């Protein structure tokens, strides 16, 4: 197999372009056109480091690329915007097989196809470890405000779109069994949720059109991310315990790895479920999971009690 060191920089870039072609990729910079009147650009960036955010022992390169795209596109949608393009910066050891880079680019491309976004450029450098830096761009159409964390109001309903706790469960299963193939088939859905989170594109703009107040995505953990909304909005949030109770699948997985499934629900993160607040009925695809109150002490409570399991993702 050819390595990136053997291929050289220009051949690696050509391989990326072949795996994820775009008519807007190839010059010194991409030129992006607005597609809706009065639109504004939205941009977000994240980094994934091998051994910390992903493992090629568990994930295919395509899955790594797809996961990188999802976590960035989710941030765009959490603002109520539509993803349109993505840039990739890649630091890669010279002995990395070229097919790994091709696979990452293919994963980005396949995920981008789900929301009409393309890989339009980036950069590649040699390094001691594989690091992927993604910048996603999106379009906020019309004059309406973006969906920000500081817009929750007392009396609002807390809403969610997507599963909660599945990615954390998948990570623990992979840690326990060592590889996707070794995890019992009945837990495949949980493993897949960690390798490539299942994100329903279009719900961010739907939420904005429906008049949702605050919106974010569950990347760091349910309590952590709802706390960000509560603090930014100077309110408190009480979660309905029954609305977020672990599913039978989560409970079975918890038995298999000897843990409490509530740990995944309350502190798991990386599901990229959209979490928000609304003064009206939940928009299509969203469900109610709690209520916003004026200051009651704790930023986030569960059935009026302090969350019994805390934590979540932190970088340091």
């Amino acid at each position: 197999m050819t390595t990136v060191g053997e291929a050289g920089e220009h051949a690696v870039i050509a391989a990326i372009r072949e795996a994820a072609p775009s008519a807007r990729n190839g010059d010194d910079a991409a030129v992006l056109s607005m597609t809706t009147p009065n639109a504004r650009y939205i941009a977000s960036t994240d980094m994934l480091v091998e051994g910390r955010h992903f493992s090629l022992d568990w994930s295919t390169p395509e899955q790594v690329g797809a996961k990188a795209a999802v976590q960035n596109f989710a941030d765009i949608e959490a603002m109520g915007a539509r993803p349109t393009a993505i840039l990739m910066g890649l630091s890669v050891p010279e002995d990395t097989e070229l097919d790994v880079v091709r696979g990452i680019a293919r994963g980005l491309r396949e995920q981008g196809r789900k929301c009409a976004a393309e890989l339009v450029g980036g950069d590649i450098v040699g390094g001691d470890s594989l690091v992927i830096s993604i910048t996603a761009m999106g379009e906020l159409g019309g004059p309406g405000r973006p969906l920000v964390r500081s817009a929750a109001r007392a009396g609002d309903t807390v809403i969610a779109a997507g599963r909660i706790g599945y990615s954390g469960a998948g990570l623990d299963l992979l840690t326990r069994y060592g590889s996707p193939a070794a995890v019992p088939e009945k837990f495949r859905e949980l493993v897949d949720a960690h390798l490539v989170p299942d994100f329903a594109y279009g719900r961010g703009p739907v939420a904005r059109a429906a008049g949702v107040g605050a919106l974010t995505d569950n990347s760091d953990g349910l309590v952590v991310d709802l706390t960000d909304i509560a603090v930014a909005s100077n309110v408190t949030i009480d979660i309905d315990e029954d609305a977020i109770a672990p599913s039978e699948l989560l409970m079975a997985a918890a038995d298999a790895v000897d843990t409490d499934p509530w740990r995944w629900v309350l502190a798991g993160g990386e599901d990229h479920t959209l979490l928000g607040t609304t003064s009206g009925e939940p928009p299509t695809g969203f469900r109610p999971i709690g209520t916003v109150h004026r200051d009651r002490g704790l930023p986030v409570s569960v059935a009026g009690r302090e969350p019994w399991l805390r934590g979540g993702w932190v970088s340091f």
Side-chain angles (χ1 to χ4, degrees):
M1 301 295 291
T2 303
T3 67
V4 297
E6 292 167 342
E9 178 182 359
H10 293 289
V12 174
I13 293 172
I16 293 172
R17 289 178 180 162
E18 180 183 3
S22 169
R24 297 179 289 179
N25 185 2
D27 215 312
D28 290 310
V31 179
L32 307 178
S33 301
M34 293 292 191
T35 61
T36 54
N38 301 314
R40 285 157 286 171
Y41 271 123
I42 300 289
S44 179
T45 188
D46 271 307
M47 297 177 68
L48 287 85
V49 179
E50 184 177 13
R52 183 166 177 82
H53 301 100
F54 67 90
S55 170
L56 290 173
D57 293 334
W58 296 342
S59 303
T60 66
E62 287 79 5
Q63 289 170 332
V64 172
K67 184 174 185 175
V70 169
Q71 69 180 47
N72 282 272
F73 288 151
D75 285 338
I76 297 297
E77 292 240 355
M79 301 298 292
R82 179 179 66 85
T84 56
I86 198 165
L87 299 168
M88 177 176 68
L90 196 64
S91 172
V92 58
E94 291 188 7
D95 60 356
T96 302
E97 293 181 359
L98 185 56
D99 279 348
V100 170
V101 177
R102 286 196 184 100
I104 292 170
R106 281 195 294 266
L108 289 170
R109 180 190 184 191
E110 290 306 309
Q111 201 63 214
R113 282 177 168 174
K114 296 181 179 182
C115 56
E118 295 179 345
L119 177 64
V120 297
D123 189 26
I124 183 167
V125 298
D128 295 330
S129 61
L130 180 57
V131 180
I132 306 167
S133 178
I134 298 295
T135 298
M137 290 163 286
E139 216 172 89
L140 194 71
R145 65 170 183 82
L147 300 182
V148 294
R149 297 172 184 169
S150 58
R153 299 293 179 263
D156 283 358
T157 298
V158 182
I159 55 176
R163 299 173 302 194
I164 299 173
Y166 276 46
S167 177
L171 174 59
D172 279 1
L173 287 164
L174 286 166
T175 301
R176 171 61 61 89
Y177 291 98
S179 72
V183 177
E185 182 61 30
K186 63 182 178 180
F187 299 133
R188 186 70 224 184
E189 184 179 0
L190 301 176
V191 171
D192 288 345
H194 177 71
L195 297 178
V196 183
D198 183 20
F199 187 81
Y201 291 99
R203 285 182 179 165
V206 165
R208 181 168 175 253
V212 162
L215 199 65
T216 191
D217 73 301
N218 181 17
S219 56
D220 297 330
L222 181 66
V223 174
V224 170
D225 291 316
L226 287 181
T227 295
D228 286 342
I229 290 178
V231 171
S233 300
N234 195 29
V235 296
T236 61
I237 288 174
D238 187 52
I239 307 171
D240 180 349
E241 185 174 344
D242 291 337
I244 62 167
S247 66
E248 290 185 4
L249 182 60
L250 285 180
M251 290 190 288
D255 287 340
V257 299
D258 191 26
T259 193
D260 184 342
W262 280 99
R263 181 169 63 84
W264 298 327
V265 172
L266 297 176
E270 281 202 335
D271 289 304
H272 299 295
T273 294
L274 291 179
L275 305 169
T277 65
T278 181
S279 60
E281 292 296 314
T284 300
F286 288 80
R287 64 188 184 279
I289 65 166
T291 309
V292 180
H293 301 277
R294 291 186 176 85
D295 186 14
R296 289 186 174 183
L298 291 172
V300 174
S301 58
V302 180
R305 311 189 309 275
E306 182 176 359
W308 52 95
L309 289 168
R310 305 185 70 86
W313 174 260
V314 291
S315 294
F316 300 101

